[in-house]
Amino acid sequence: MKLVEQIKQPILQEMELFETKFKESMATNVPLLNRITQYIVRRKGKQMRPMFVFLVAKMVSGGKFEERTYRGASVIELIHTASLVHDDVVDDSNIRRGFFSINALWKNKIAVLVGDFLFSKGLLLSIDNDDIDILRLISVAVREMSEGELLQFEKARRLDITEEIYFEIIRQKTATLIAACCGIGAASVGSSKDEIEKMRLFGELIGIAFQIKDDLFDYTDAKIGKPTGIDIKERKMTLPLIYALNNCTKEERKWLINSIKNHNKNKKRVKEIIAFVKEKGGIEFTTLKMKEYQVKALEILETYPSSPYKESLLTMVNYVIERKI
């Protein structure tokens, strides 16, 4: 059995019912929109975010589950899908999860409007059901995702990123949405403010570890769906690169910055940058950092009694840093 299927086992029925409810949450009277949303539903990914919502809800409540939990998962998935549709427009990307992106098939203007539609559907789903606590959690995540992206754009131009700023960018860009999933899972079953915050932190720690793992892929030869060195080509300052910059001579630093600024499209130079980062110990340092976040996340889980949901979350934490793609 694949690891993701194993993680899903304790919430299999809920995940199946969720698919139906998620389709319903996107329904509209506009035929073009229905065609596009059906296309989106058919090419769904691993659905890790709803899995986090359901597993956390069941773990903290001792197996209890409410309609609010389904709504929380739907809100997360609607907002997440909207952000992906908008990302593809911003990045001018024609492929998403091995399929044509919305902008590739229906052009940018329609893709932007579809993203807006999904955002509004997500917000209304919470408002119409008075799920204000859930709406607050997801709204904070959307604000932080935007801030993180803009902070990264600003720093990519100047290449003056520190380790501290790097962690702030990935916390906002990636970790905040997984944090919202876990916070919403706890909130949906009536947990206390402290417990919601504890689960939100748990999600944040996993999200940071997840992004660090993604950054490490840039330095591997594994076939992961994106070419090696893509972050360097896009002038994204990731942790292995920051570490190398902070642990080299003035001359090496000058060469490295010049390479990223002016030769980031040169395949030979990109390979040289990757080799330099490895030689300086950037990969080992980054792997250690990733494991630190994994350990902190596991420590939070250990405060809960044994259950199939806790076991699945433990597997999920390990999957995040051991995955090959």
Side-chain angles (χ1 to χ4, degrees):
M1 191 192 292
K2 282 185 180 171
L3 209 50
V4 175
E5 293 307 310
Q6 188 186 322
I7 292 165
K8 217 186 270 189
Q9 275 311 110
I11 49 162
L12 214 48
Q13 283 178 302
E14 288 81 3
M15 287 299 289
E16 281 172 13
L17 187 53
F18 166 72
E19 286 195 31
T20 308
K21 288 178 181 288
F22 182 57
K23 275 181 205 167
E24 285 168 6
S25 71
M26 285 203 272
T28 167
N29 297 323
V30 181
L32 173 62
L33 251 179
N34 278 334
R35 265 207 318 279
I36 296 171
T37 55
Q38 279 162 21
Y39 178 72
I40 288 169
V41 169
R42 280 202 309 272
R43 61 193 189 104
K44 65 182 187 293
K46 296 188 190 86
Q47 294 188 304
M48 302 295 270
R49 285 158 191 85
M51 283 160 67
F52 272 121
V53 175
F54 294 157
L55 288 169
V56 166
K58 288 222 166 202
M59 180 184 74
V60 301
S61 68
K64 199 171 69 168
F65 215 76
E66 297 181 13
E67 195 58 39
R68 255 165 64 86
T69 313
Y70 286 112
R71 288 200 300 270
S74 290
V75 168
I76 283 280
E77 202 68 347
L78 283 163
I79 302 282
H80 174 58
T81 307
S83 72
L84 296 182
V85 172
H86 281 168
D87 278 353
D88 287 339
V89 174
V90 171
D91 298 339
D92 199 19
S93 175
N94 292 325
I95 299 291
R96 165 71 63 182
R97 292 172 183 152
F99 295 89
F100 283 116
S101 60
I102 304 300
N103 49 304
L105 292 173
W106 286 281
K107 305 299 178 210
N108 281 350
K109 188 173 182 180
I110 287 177
V112 169
L113 292 169
V114 168
D116 292 346
F117 167 78
L118 294 170
F119 263 120
S120 63
K121 272 286 192 181
L123 301 177
L124 283 168
L125 185 60
S126 289
I127 292 164
D128 291 346
N129 292 283
D130 286 330
D131 296 330
I132 303 305
D133 52 346
I134 287 174
L135 183 58
R136 186 173 287 110
L137 283 160
I138 192 64
S139 298
V140 168
V142 172
R143 186 199 73 210
E144 291 199 324
M145 282 157 66
S146 308
E147 286 176 351
E149 285 284 0
L150 288 164
L151 183 57
Q152 187 169 55
F153 276 124
E154 182 190 1
K155 295 299 174 183
R157 282 206 306 272
R158 288 171 19 208
L159 298 181
D160 62 345
I161 192 165
T162 60
E163 200 180 305
E164 191 182 349
I165 292 169
Y166 163 81
F167 278 109
E168 185 55 16
I169 288 170
I170 68 168
R171 187 191 68 76
Q172 291 188 317
K173 257 189 70 180
T174 305
T176 192
L177 195 61
I178 297 174
C181 293
C182 298
I184 286 170
S188 73
V189 289
S191 297
S192 67
K193 274 189 175 176
D194 285 349
E195 186 151 57
I196 292 166
E197 182 50 36
K198 183 176 166 183
M199 282 294 99
R200 211 198 59 74
L201 175 61
F202 166 72
E204 190 176 279
L205 293 165
I206 293 182
I208 291 171
F210 181 91
Q211 187 57 54
I212 296 174
K213 178 69 171 181
D214 243 28
D215 293 348
L216 281 167
F217 280 140
D218 211 42
Y219 294 86
T220 65
D221 301 319
K223 290 182 169 45
I224 55 155
K226 72 168 190 173
T228 302
I230 200 84
D231 289 337
I232 296 165
K233 292 183 183 94
E234 291 174 4
R235 288 168 60 167
K236 282 183 187 165
M237 297 295 285
T238 58
L239 197 54
L241 198 53
I242 294 163
Y243 181 81
L245 271 170
N246 292 336
N247 290 276
C248 61
T249 64
K250 259 189 183 174
E251 287 73 27
E252 287 171 332
R253 187 182 169 87
K254 206 172 166 183
W255 170 83
L256 195 50
I257 287 174
N258 176 45
S259 300
I260 297 159
K261 266 190 174 174
N262 305 313
H263 305 281
N264 57 332
K265 300 285 191 285
N266 179 320
K267 280 185 182 175
K268 184 173 177 284
R269 187 67 76 95
V270 168
K271 277 186 176 173
E272 286 171 7
I273 295 169
I274 291 170
F276 180 80
V277 168
K278 285 179 176 176
E279 184 196 315
K280 290 291 171 186
I283 308 305
E284 288 88 341
F285 173 79
T286 303
T287 304
L288 279 174
K289 279 283 176 192
M290 176 180 69
K291 287 183 175 170
E292 279 175 25
Y293 282 93
Q294 178 203 23
V295 167
K296 285 177 189 169
L298 291 172
E299 281 170 1
I300 290 176
L301 280 184
E302 285 313 319
T303 62
Y304 287 90
S306 186
S307 72
Y309 319 111
K310 177 183 169 179
E311 285 310 310
S312 279
L313 284 167
L314 286 167
T315 307
M316 185 93 95
V317 175
N318 294 323
Y319 165 77
V320 158
I321 73 155
E322 286 159 16
R323 66 200 164 100
K324 301 286 185 282
I325 188 166

